[in-house]
Amino acid sequence: MPLEPYSITAAARALRAGETSSVALIESAIAQADRHDSELGVYLARFDESARRQARRADAERARGLERGVLHGIPVAVKDTIAVADGDTTAQSVVHDRAWGAGRDAPVVARLREAGAIITGKTTTMEFACGVPDSTEPFPLPRNPWDPSRWAGGSSSGTASGIAAGLFPAGLGSDTAGSIRMPAAFCGVTGLLPTFGRVPKSGCVPLGYSVDRVGPLARTAADCAALLAVIAGPHPSDPDSAIAPADGRSINEFKAGPMLSGLRIGVVRQGHFPAGSDPGLGDVFDCAIGVFVSIGADVEEIVLPYLAETIMATFVIVTCEGLAYHRAVLADRWDDYFVASRGLLAKGALVSGADYVQAQRVRRVAQDAIGELFGRFDAVVCPTASVGAPRFDELVDATGFQDDAGLFGKLHTPYWNGLGNPVLALPMGLGATGLPLSLQIAGPAFGEAMILRIGDAFQQHTEWHRQLPPCYRRAAAV
């Protein structure tokens, strides 16, 4: 067992140098799943034999001199809201039609395969990518490798947990109100919410049609860049997928570098340190900002425009669009939905057409305001969440984003979903409870190359992305 979970870039270097093989990487991934999955609930379905066949093919291709790129022969897992030809897409629900997406790869999965990535299986989520875990339902509970009594976060739960525990180096998730960044934060890994339209979302079970995004999770910003370079780009099956504008930097222009000289970074505190925050959050955040200053960035305190209004508009849009997708089945099979997910979706019935239109108007005003802000700043940084991963017994009925007294009042992700901007979440330290805390780096539309560069520079000067959860440290010591 390696002393630390491997990254895509490290594994790719080892493959090119002949120091390992794709078969060895897959066998390690399978062994890690055998060791930890029963405790952590990472997978809903494993494709062990298919992965072994793909690994043998990757090694044979490499032996012939065929190189498909940095992902060639690398294990990658996929959230079970995204269609993969190898198995069902359940969306972790007894309600979901198993024929949906059957035998087909979503465009993002097809692109991963073309790049040589090996799909290891489908990872756990929340029912239809919303709500909270429900132990009464016939699916694994996605537990946190840092403390299995705690949640891995949602809804890209198993992907983040599996990366942290070393079951695979990277995977795909989706994000409608924080579903990539929340589990990345709670599990101490890195996750990227791309610009709306940068990555095709067709083949992903919808929650909010105008808000959903598909993106990568991995150990590092550089790894997220490698994945995004493969899955990004328009696809005819998704009318919202877009060609980056001429002034939008190509993701292939991402360049690693240790310094950020002259970059302007806005620092957000207001609204991000509510009552009940982790007692260590302030010091951890201050230290993170100090890293940016030490490597040349100019920082300035700012206030996000229309923060409360944009979060509420996002909530209105998601519940309304979610109900539009589920309305007929929800009415017919109410009792078969999880309590939390049906509660969230049913709130869409309380939204009038006028409310929905007004929420979209608020969204437009906020987008204009944030566009002006990014005319003055290259990036904006703030905490991803004010707390570490909660225990399962602390999760009650989290069916909205306005529960200020509960968990969702301490998550700072939905604002950016409504705006459409790209956001990178990455570990910035450990809180007072010893659990990971996370930093968000947001950029202008189609500004992924910039925020990935900033995230990579931060990770070149910190070690938080290399911190190992206890389950991995115990196994590595055996």
Side-chain angles (χ1 to χ4, degrees):
M1 181 180 222
L3 294 179
E4 65 177 74
Y6 54 91
S7 66
I8 291 174
T9 48
R13 283 195 300 268
L15 285 168
R16 286 195 299 271
E19 298 167 355
T20 189
S21 66
S22 295
V23 168
L25 293 179
I26 286 299
E27 291 302 333
S28 175
I30 290 171
Q32 281 290 87
D34 289 342
R35 183 178 290 115
H36 293 299
D37 195 30
S38 61
E39 179 183 32
L40 297 180
V42 168
Y43 281 113
L44 277 169
R46 287 167 55 178
F47 306 144
D48 291 357
E49 293 310 311
S50 170
R52 285 179 168 123
R53 288 194 299 272
Q54 294 174 64
R56 290 192 294 269
R57 183 176 67 181
D59 287 337
E61 289 177 339
R62 192 172 291 103
R64 297 198 307 270
L66 174 59
E67 287 287 347
R68 295 180 181 270
V70 71
L71 297 183
H72 194 185
I74 302 294
V76 176
V78 176
K79 180 180 181 178
D80 195 42
T81 54
I82 302 170
V84 174
D86 305 68
D88 292 341
T89 299
T90 74
Q92 199 143 336
S93 175
V94 299
V95 175
H96 190 54
D97 182 2
R98 296 302 189 267
W100 187 95
R104 299 192 301 275
D105 285 334
V108 288
V109 176
R111 289 172 178 178
L112 287 176
R113 290 197 201 273
E114 181 63 25
I118 299 172
I119 308 303
T120 63
K122 305 292 289 294
T123 56
T124 48
T125 176
M126 302 298 96
E127 184 182 39
F128 292 112
C130 63
V132 293
D134 189 335
S135 61
T136 67
E137 298 295 335
F139 298 100
L141 278 181
R143 298 182 180 275
N144 196 305
W146 289 83
D147 178 350
S149 72
R150 296 177 183 270
W151 187 27
S155 61
S156 304
S157 315
T159 302
S161 177
I163 294 166
L167 275 65
F168 36 81
L172 293 185
S174 62
D175 194 317
T176 304
S179 289
I180 288 172
R181 291 158 292 151
M182 186 213 305
F186 288 169
C187 294
V189 300
T190 305
L192 176 68
L193 172 74
T195 303
F196 183 81
R198 171 73 89 169
V199 175
K201 63 185 186 300
S202 47
C204 180
V205 178
L207 177 56
Y209 295 100
S210 69
V211 186
D212 294 341
R213 290 179 249 177
V214 173
L217 294 98
R219 297 208 65 80
T220 68
D223 284 359
C224 285
L227 282 163
L228 185 65
V230 168
I231 64 175
H235 193 276
S237 63
D238 180 6
D240 291 320
S241 63
I243 299 173
D247 59 350
R249 295 188 63 184
S250 166
I251 190 58
N252 293 317
E253 294 178 30
F254 162 75
K255 300 293 183 186
M259 303 303 290
L260 300 177
S261 301
L263 288 187
R264 303 158 298 167
I265 296 179
V267 177
V268 180
R269 297 181 192 274
Q270 187 177 78
H272 288 67
F273 290 79
S277 296
D278 187 293
L281 178 65
D283 288 343
V284 169
F285 187 64
D286 287 344
C287 287
I289 301 307
V291 172
F292 292 124
V293 173
S294 72
I295 56 179
D298 298 322
V299 304
E300 180 182 330
E301 297 261 343
I302 63 169
V303 175
L304 291 177
Y306 303 107
L307 178 61
E309 295 87 347
T310 302
I311 294 171
M312 179 57 76
T314 302
F315 174 66
V316 168
I317 291 165
V318 170
T319 54
C320 190
E321 293 180 354
L323 181 64
Y325 183 77
H326 288 275
R327 185 168 185 165
V329 181
L330 189 65
D332 186 52
R333 300 186 60 182
W334 173 266
D335 291 334
D336 292 332
Y337 279 79
F338 289 18
V339 172
S341 52
R342 75 190 184 203
L344 173 69
L345 296 169
K347 287 183 178 180
L350 305 177
V351 178
S352 69
D355 294 331
Y356 180 77
V357 170
Q358 186 67 5
Q360 295 287 9
R361 293 178 64 200
V362 169
R363 183 185 195 180
R364 180 72 261 177
V365 169
Q367 286 171 333
D368 289 343
I370 205 70
E372 292 178 5
L373 184 69
F374 281 118
R376 297 187 290 116
F377 294 94
D378 297 295
V380 168
V381 299
C382 62
T384 308
S386 297
V387 293
R391 296 191 310 272
F392 283 101
D393 60 13
E394 295 173 329
L395 298 174
V396 192
D397 183 20
T399 59
F401 308 137
Q402 296 295 309
D403 179 17
D404 293 334
L407 173 63
F408 278 77
K410 300 179 181 66
L411 294 173
H412 310 301
T413 53
Y415 176 79
W416 299 103
N417 291 86
L419 297 174
N421 294 68
V423 187
L424 182 71
L426 71 173
M428 64 173 176
L430 301 181
T433 58
L435 297 170
L437 295 175
S438 175
L439 179 79
Q440 288 187 117
I441 306 172
F446 296 99
E448 287 90 347
M450 176 62 72
I451 63 173
L452 286 163
R453 176 193 166 195
I454 294 171
D456 181 73
F458 181 84
Q459 290 182 330
Q460 289 190 49
H461 289 85
T462 60
E463 296 290 325
W464 301 116
H465 59 291
R466 294 191 175 95
Q467 295 290 305
L468 304 179
C471 74
Y472 195 93
R473 295 198 298 268
R474 287 194 302 269
V478 173

